[in-house]
Amino acid sequence: MKNKKVLKSITENERERVNAVRFYLRGVQAKYDARKLLKAISVLHGKSRCIGNNIRAWALQLRDNGTTVASRRGCHGKRPKKLDERSESEVRKWLSSEAKTMVTPKLLQDKLNREILKPLAISISLPTARRYLKETFNWVRSRRSAGMFNDGHDSEEVKAYRSSFLEEIEEIKRRMMRLPGCRPEGLKDGERPLIFYTHDESSFQTNDCGQFVYHPKGERPFYKKGSGGSFMVSEFLSEVDGPIKAVRKIIHSGKANDGYWNGKQMYRQLRRLLAYHKRNHSDCDAVIAIDNARNHTGYAPDALDAYKMNKGMGNEKQKNQYVPKGMWYIQDGVRVDQSYIGENGFTKGITAVLQERGINFEGITRGKCQKCHDQFDTDERACCQARLLSQQPDFMAQPTLLEGVVQDFNEGKDMGSIEEEESEESENEEEEGRVGVKAKQMKKNQRKMKEHREEQKTKERKQKEDQDQDQDWGKEKEEEEEKEKDPKDQNGVQVARLILYPKFHCELNFIEMYWGLVKRVTRSGYHSSPKSLRSALPGALDSVSIETIRRFAGRSFRYMEAYRNDFSGPKAEEEMKKYTSHRRLSERLCRPE
């Protein structure tokens, strides 16, 4: 350090550090008080007292390594308080272009760091980009207005179903697994743990900019007309596995694209989920909760539907006739299988079926009532013959399409593999594209008619033989219904159960919070084309951690606890925000007023 050539080669700042360290070492050798010495050196160099600790650290480094700490002045990232004229003009030009419709601070940050400020080796943070929008370009943030709506939380029908749903959930929670490999403590002898799966669909649009939008101050916010390209995502979640990526389905909505989400696609996805559950959780039962939507409560194409039948007998001129397969009725305590083939060799009409069963429909001349079909309720009025037939036991006992999948699983039928379901799904879509749906259904019905005409005589002979064996059918039917209502693990058989969420209660389905977090990710970047949105969707869906999903589930279960304690919808929302503990609502709050 005594070499003058070395002192000339260092910077002015480093020279000040070397002189400060030199004075400190000389004072230590002269046995001055270290604290007073550091204070005097700081005053001598015009620095604050806190630099004394740095001088001591520099001295120790000089003693150990022979060098002082190099100055970091000028080496930190540059974040200018204001943009230069060239950068500001480029940003203004960009803001006045098409990007003006979907401007966010994140989008401005990416534009500056990747294009405008990249030649200057300068980068800015997200708060700086937000400050540029507000101060430099005079843009403000406004809330997008939404219309008001009234829901049906407090209707008697919904409250009655919600009460039964909450009782069922309380029993499910006793056997529910919350973590992988962590069996619940409340299991009884012979019971298996449950894995709770929840499902929902959500659509993502290219022009979705979120709740807030940035625009020039003094001007009205500008929105693009229409929602743009739309993608429908159907997802299953569980607290054990998080998002079930193996059964996730993403389609480009639209008649010219992948079509629209329907019950048939939901049927295939549910089969894939059950195949996934059987392969990965063979020692656990499954509970699958879905929304109470029309796609989820639809029936199979060959299910009994009185509104698809004709009033009179069929004939040769009628094409694409509906085949009511599997009709039966009870006569003197005995189940009687009813054929749908009439005396003329064609399908029976509603009138002929009612007459054969001995049902009195005097005064009811109308075959079908469209108003009754569209607004179906639970009362037993008979405004038309189709309504009267739809109230018969065989028509009422028809399982929905999704319930049929769960019943097949409980009976031990093969669900196939996930890969087989995917290949079958693509083949069916290609076949539907080549052959019209009506033509395909017509060929299918004609083939069924031919097969069942040949089996008619065989069924009549078999019917007489089975009458003696069906005396106790009523009791057996009641036992089967009890098993379907509350299936339990008997003889070690894996069991699945399908339940429906109450209407108007999206807060009970924790996947709704998952959608909100995913859309927050997709809205942070502007997707001007369906292709860019499609490529960003998988990453956005996988960005939500399983710990966050478990917190969402806990919040939904606290909502259920609030409803179980007779809180209304708005009251439950208010109390959830104000009074929540880690796992439950406070006992004081749950006491009735």
Side-chain angles (χ1 to χ4, degrees):
M1 286 298 177
K2 296 181 179 180
N3 194 341
K4 295 183 178 181
K5 293 184 179 180
V6 175
L7 290 176
K8 288 181 180 180
S9 63
I10 63 178
T11 62
E12 185 66 25
N13 187 33
E14 292 176 346
R15 186 180 291 109
E16 290 182 2
R17 293 188 180 192
V18 171
N19 291 333
V21 171
R22 182 184 298 171
F23 287 136
Y24 174 72
L25 293 177
R26 287 178 180 177
V28 170
Q29 289 179 356
K31 298 184 178 180
Y32 285 103
D33 183 68
R35 184 179 299 177
K36 295 181 180 179
L37 181 62
L38 291 173
K39 181 179 178 181
I41 295 174
S42 302
V43 174
L44 180 64
H45 286 79
K47 304 292 183 179
S48 62
R49 296 181 181 180
C50 63
I51 201 174
N53 294 331
N54 295 339
I55 294 175
R56 181 179 298 174
W58 296 336
L60 294 176
Q61 187 173 7
L62 181 64
R63 184 193 65 184
D64 298 337
N65 304 329
T67 58
T68 58
V69 178
S71 175
R72 295 288 298 168
R73 182 176 294 177
C75 298
H76 300 285
K78 306 298 187 300
R79 293 183 180 178
K81 294 183 178 180
K82 293 184 178 181
L83 293 172
D84 59 282
E85 294 182 0
R86 182 193 64 83
S87 301
E88 184 176 344
S89 63
E90 289 187 15
V91 173
R92 290 188 183 278
K93 187 184 299 183
W94 175 73
L95 290 174
S96 61
S97 64
E98 295 181 358
K100 179 179 178 181
T101 58
M102 294 289 179
V103 172
T104 62
K106 176 65 176 175
L107 203 61
L108 177 61
Q109 180 194 17
D110 295 341
K111 182 71 176 179
L112 288 170
N113 292 342
R114 296 176 182 177
E115 298 180 17
I116 300 176
L117 297 180
K118 188 175 182 180
L120 304 177
I122 298 175
S123 62
I124 64 169
S125 63
L126 188 60
T128 304
R130 192 178 291 112
R131 180 167 53 83
Y132 283 168
L133 272 178
K134 182 178 179 181
E135 298 177 0
T136 305
F137 304 106
N138 202 20
W139 281 53
V140 294
R141 189 178 73 162
S142 299
R143 183 186 294 270
R144 300 187 68 176
S145 59
M148 297 182 63
F149 62 95
N150 296 320
D151 52 27
H153 274 74
D154 297 330
S155 64
E156 294 300 327
E157 182 183 355
V158 173
K159 289 174 66 175
Y161 181 78
R162 184 178 68 195
S163 178
S164 62
F165 172 81
L166 294 176
E167 292 178 1
E168 191 172 5
I169 286 293
E170 190 68 17
E171 176 62 22
I172 290 173
K173 286 176 64 178
R174 184 180 61 82
R175 301 171 54 192
M176 189 186 303
M177 282 184 61
R178 310 298 292 269
L179 297 172
C182 184
R183 295 173 64 89
E185 299 178 354
L187 289 178
K188 300 178 181 179
D189 294 339
E191 284 187 337
R192 299 158 63 99
L194 290 172
I195 294 182
F196 185 82
Y197 296 96
T198 186
H199 170 269
D200 193 28
E201 304 101 1
S202 183
S203 59
F204 295 78
Q205 290 83 23
T206 54
N207 294 340
D208 186 6
C209 63
Q211 190 177 17
F212 295 95
V213 60
Y214 284 84
H215 59 91
K217 190 175 182 179
E219 297 184 14
R220 291 180 62 84
F222 178 78
Y223 308 105
K224 271 193 173 182
K225 292 183 179 179
S227 58
S230 175
F231 287 89
M232 176 66 76
V233 181
S234 180
E235 185 82 285
F236 282 95
L237 293 184
S238 75
E239 293 186 76
V240 178
D241 298 330
I244 313 300
K245 303 177 186 178
V247 301
R248 177 185 295 162
K249 185 65 177 178
I250 303 176
I251 64 170
H252 190 183
S253 303
K255 189 174 181 180
N257 301 311
D258 298 334
Y260 297 96
W261 188 256
N262 52 33
K264 191 174 182 180
Q265 292 174 319
M266 181 63 191
Y267 164 82
R268 293 169 181 163
Q269 190 180 23
L270 182 59
R271 285 180 59 89
R272 292 168 60 191
L273 175 70
L274 293 173
Y276 167 86
H277 176 78
K278 188 173 184 179
R279 184 177 66 182
N280 296 276
H281 303 287
S282 58
D283 58 339
C284 300
D285 294 341
V287 175
I288 305 164
I290 60 177
D291 285 341
N292 202 337
R294 285 194 174 186
N295 282 345
H296 303 159
T297 56
Y299 294 91
D302 57 349
L304 292 177
D305 189 353
Y307 294 93
K308 292 182 180 180
M309 297 175 62
N310 296 326
K311 180 183 177 182
M313 300 289 287
N315 51 58
E316 295 179 355
K317 296 182 180 180
Q318 294 179 351
K319 298 180 180 180
N320 194 21
Q321 298 180 19
Y322 169 70
V323 179
K325 181 182 177 182
M327 292 190 297
W328 53 266
Y329 61 95
I330 304 298
Q331 186 176 11
D332 299 331
V334 179
R335 172 173 170 169
V336 179
D337 293 332
Q338 186 176 15
S339 174
Y340 62 88
I341 302 297
E343 296 177 356
N344 59 353
F346 294 94
T347 56
K348 295 177 182 177
I350 301 176
T351 304
V353 172
L354 292 175
Q355 289 176 350
E356 187 175 340
R357 297 187 179 202
I359 299 175
N360 183 17
F361 57 94
E362 183 178 357
I364 305 175
T365 58
R366 184 180 299 178
K368 298 179 184 178
C369 177
Q370 190 62 33
K371 183 178 179 180
C372 170
H373 182 232
D374 294 339
Q375 300 177 357
F376 190 86
D377 51 21
T378 56
D379 62 7
E380 297 182 358
R381 71 171 185 266
C383 56
C384 59
Q385 296 180 11
R387 180 62 183 272
L388 186 61
L389 183 59
S390 66
Q391 296 171 357
Q392 301 307 308
D394 53 343
F395 283 81
M396 295 290 290
Q398 288 293 303
T400 63
L401 184 62
L402 301 185
E403 288 174 349
V405 178
V406 176
Q407 288 180 7
D408 292 344
F409 178 82
N410 294 338
E411 292 173 2
K413 294 183 180 179
D414 186 18
M415 293 290 104
S417 63
I418 300 176
E419 294 77 10
E420 290 177 359
E421 286 292 329
E422 289 179 347
S423 61
E424 181 183 351
E425 183 176 347
S426 60
E427 290 176 1
N428 291 337
E429 290 175 355
E430 292 177 0
E431 184 178 355
E432 289 179 1
R434 293 191 300 267
V435 183
V437 178
K438 291 185 178 180
K440 185 179 177 182
Q441 186 68 25
M442 186 185 302
K443 292 181 179 179
K444 183 178 180 181
N445 290 338
Q446 290 175 355
R447 186 172 62 253
K448 286 184 177 180
M449 290 282 292
K450 185 177 180 180
E451 291 175 356
H452 287 288
R453 283 174 186 172
E454 295 175 355
E455 297 176 359
Q456 182 181 4
K457 295 181 179 180
T458 307
K459 285 185 177 180
E460 291 177 355
R461 289 195 304 266
K462 191 175 180 180
Q463 180 179 347
K464 295 180 180 179
E465 296 175 359
D466 295 340
Q467 284 182 356
D468 298 334
Q469 301 177 3
D470 292 339
Q471 297 295 331
D472 299 331
W473 176 86
K475 294 182 180 180
E476 294 177 0
K477 186 65 179 178
E478 291 179 359
E479 294 177 358
E480 290 178 2
E481 290 178 354
E482 291 179 359
K483 290 180 180 180
E484 291 176 0
K485 185 176 180 181
D486 187 18
K488 295 183 179 180
D489 180 22
Q490 298 179 358
N491 301 324
V493 179
Q494 198 171 16
V495 174
R497 190 189 310 178
L498 188 70
I499 60 176
L500 299 177
Y501 284 108
K503 293 181 180 179
F504 314 113
H505 287 73
C506 58
E507 65 274 9
L508 302 184
N509 190 352
F510 57 88
I511 199 174
E512 299 289 352
M513 300 174 232
Y514 168 80
W515 293 134
L517 196 54
V518 172
K519 288 192 175 184
R520 184 178 181 181
V521 177
T522 57
R523 288 167 179 168
S524 62
Y526 175 57
H527 302 287
S528 59
S529 65
K531 185 177 180 181
S532 64
L533 178 60
R534 179 65 179 84
S535 60
L537 269 178
L541 294 168
D542 297 339
S543 64
V544 184
S545 64
I546 191 171
E547 289 79 11
T548 304
I549 292 174
R550 288 171 183 151
R551 286 196 289 268
F552 289 160
R555 182 174 178 83
S556 293
F557 288 128
R558 288 197 296 272
Y559 268 111
M560 297 179 191
E561 184 180 353
Y563 285 122
R564 197 177 292 111
N565 289 281
D566 296 333
F567 284 118
S568 62
K571 182 68 174 176
E573 178 69 22
E574 179 184 353
E575 303 301 340
M576 282 290 296
K577 292 180 180 179
K578 292 168 57 177
Y579 307 101
T580 54
S581 66
H582 178 61
R583 294 183 182 274
R584 57 182 176 81
L585 297 174
S586 64
E587 295 181 0
R588 176 189 63 80
L589 191 65
C590 295
R591 289 197 296 266
E593 297 180 358

